[in-house]
Every structure is written in structure tokens, then in C-alpha cells.
Amino acid sequence: AQKVTQAQTEISVVEKEDVTLDCVYETRDTTYYLFWYKQPPSGELVFLIRRNSFDEQNEISGRYSWNFQKSTSSFNFTITASQVVDSAVYFCALSEVEWDNQGGKLIFGQGTELSVKP
Amino acid sequence: GAVVSQHPSRVICKSGTSVKIECRSLDFQATTMFWYRQFPKQSLMLMATSNEGSKATYEQGVEKDKFLINHASLTLSTLTVTSAHPEDSSFYICSAKRDRESTDTQYFGPGTRLTVL
């Protein structure tokens, strides 16, 4: 069965610290997608990144970086030099590829609430 | 872009009434949309997959007669919470998959906060 685990329920850091949010997933399929979403207090989910299972290249986007390791089934997210505006709940999610373009359900982790204090 | 809207953003109703929530893809067509429910401090739980022109597929434990889904066009899906009770109070979020995009990315609406008194 598919499962996504975010073991860190809450993390609190001081501004400018680096922080890593962990994500571990389980799936029997060889083809799948992994996602990270940010949910600020307003509630709207903000898409951050999508990675397919064949692409293990790490990615950097500004202060954000992602480390995908299939060997450990992990897709960790690092924020460098955190800012107060980064405070939010972050969700990791897994989707199996549906070749007929139907389905593709997202399985979400429990989320990690990040609090960045000034 | 890929913008999804929801209406209303917030609704308060009395117990026993029905509430309709609309989900629209504003700048793309979406044969497939999804409805999620999120309780405070919890993750998003998929309720159902909505397909244009066919019946919705409900997740285990979700009552299809209570949560009616209608996906009448390629840009609109509606969720009706029938005979709402206080335990139905939650944050309801829809998402849409853009047709002919093979990446399985779902674009999320801003959510609807339902409070049943």
C-alpha cells in the first residue's frame, strides 16, 4: 500500500537557520510522482515541486532544495536561511502514475508545521 | 497558469440543511477533479474522485448519499453536503488535473471552510 510519513509534526527555528523537513514514502510501483506543498495559515495549498521516480537529481530553487533518494525512499526538503514568511504547514505527497490520465490519487503525509521565529 | 477557484470560501449553516460547494478550473479543462476534507491540525484526506460525465468514485468510508458530487462540465464540479451535521464541519478543498498534462499534478482551490451549527 502507498504511504507517506512525515515524522516531524512540528519544527521551530529562528530566522536565518537552515531547516530540513523529512519525508519517507512507501509504494510498490516503480513509476510514481512525489510532491511538496506548502499550506500557509490562509489554507490554500501552494505547489512547490514535483519529482518523478526516474529523476533522482536533486533540485535547488532559491532558498529551497530537495534531496530525492530512492535507495532510502526519501524526499527531503531543505529551506536555507529560513524566514518568518516560511512559517506554514508543509505536506509531502505521493501519486502513482495513471497512464490513461485518469486517477492519479495523491496520498498526503501528515504534514510538518514549521514555525520560524524572528 | 492553472487556477482553481472555490465558492463559497466560508459558509455557516444550521444542522440539517444542505450546502453546495463549487469548484471551477478557470483557465483549463479538467476531466478529473478531486475533493478532499481536512480537519484542524490534520492532513488532507481524499473523499472522492470526480470525473466529468460519469459517477464519482468515493473513497472507503465516505457516504456517497451524503456527499453528492456532480461534475457536469469540464470546468465545474460541485460537492453538496446533504443534511449537514456539526461533525461535517471541516475545510473542504478541491483540486483539478489539467487535461492532456501527463504529470499527475493537481492544482488546488483555496478551500471552503464549512461550519455547521
Side-chain angles (χ1 to χ4, degrees):
Chain A
Q2 292 176 296
K3 186 179 178 182
V4 176
T5 301
Q6 294 178 255
Q8 304 147 309
T9 306
E10 296 178 10
I11 299 177
S12 181
V13 299
V14 177
E15 211 170 16
K16 298 184 183 177
E17 285 185 20
D18 298 347
V19 59
T20 295
L21 309 182
D22 297 333
C23 173
V24 175
Y25 63 92
E26 296 176 29
T27 180
R28 288 173 295 186
D29 288 329
T30 57
T31 305
Y32 50 88
Y33 286 102
L34 293 164
F35 301 82
W36 275 96
Y37 287 91
K38 173 182 180 180
Q39 188 177 41
S42 64
E44 183 165 0
L45 280 171
V46 177
F47 168 79
L48 296 178
I49 190 171
R50 175 190 63 246
R51 172 67 75 230
N52 76 52
S53 52
F54 297 113
D55 182 4
E56 281 193 77
Q57 213 170 13
N58 292 330
E59 181 156 339
I60 298 175
S61 177
R63 295 184 297 107
Y64 296 170
S65 62
W66 290 270
N67 184 351
F68 176 29
Q69 294 202 350
K70 286 181 76 170
S71 60
T72 55
S73 296
S74 65
F75 187 42
N76 297 338
F77 172 33
T78 297
I79 301 175
T80 303
S82 59
Q83 299 175 1
V84 173
V85 293
D86 295 327
S87 297
V89 180
Y90 291 84
F91 289 99
C92 180
L94 167 71
S95 169
E96 290 177 343
V97 174
E98 295 285 340
W99 298 106
D100 61 357
N101 205 36
Q102 299 295 316
K105 297 187 294 187
L106 275 177
I107 305 300
F108 284 87
Q110 286 302 107
T112 297
E113 183 171 4
L114 174 65
S115 176
V116 181
K117 301 189 185 308
Chain B
V3 181
V4 176
S5 71
Q6 277 185 246
H7 177 80
S9 58
R10 188 181 296 267
V11 58
I12 301 173
C13 69
K14 292 183 179 179
S15 187
T17 60
S18 293
V19 175
K20 180 187 282 189
I21 302 170
E22 292 185 350
C23 176
R24 293 182 186 272
S25 55
L26 298 185
D27 52 0
F28 64 98
Q29 291 186 335
T31 299
T32 303
M33 292 184 175
F34 301 88
W35 287 96
Y36 296 85
R37 180 167 52 183
Q38 185 181 31
F39 292 109
K41 299 286 189 180
Q42 294 189 24
S43 187
L44 282 79
M45 296 302 296
L46 179 65
M47 300 175 66
T49 302
S50 170
N51 292 300
E52 187 269 340
S54 64
K55 290 183 180 180
T57 303
Y58 290 82
E59 295 300 301
Q60 195 170 12
V62 178
E63 299 175 60
K64 60 181 179 181
D65 294 332
K66 180 168 182 64
F67 298 99
L68 300 179
I69 291 172
N70 184 15
H71 195 151
S73 78
L74 290 174
T75 59
L76 173 64
S77 176
T78 61
L79 168 69
T80 301
V81 183
T82 61
S83 187
H85 288 97
E87 57 265 30
D88 298 323
S89 298
S90 188
F91 192 51
Y92 292 87
I93 307 173
C94 74
S95 70
K97 286 181 61 181
R98 180 156 50 188
D99 287 353
R100 291 180 294 281
E101 182 176 295
S102 60
T103 61
D104 274 10
T105 298
Q106 293 182 24
Y107 300 95
F108 285 84
T112 296
R113 195 164 300 281
L114 170 64
T115 302
V116 184
L117 302 177

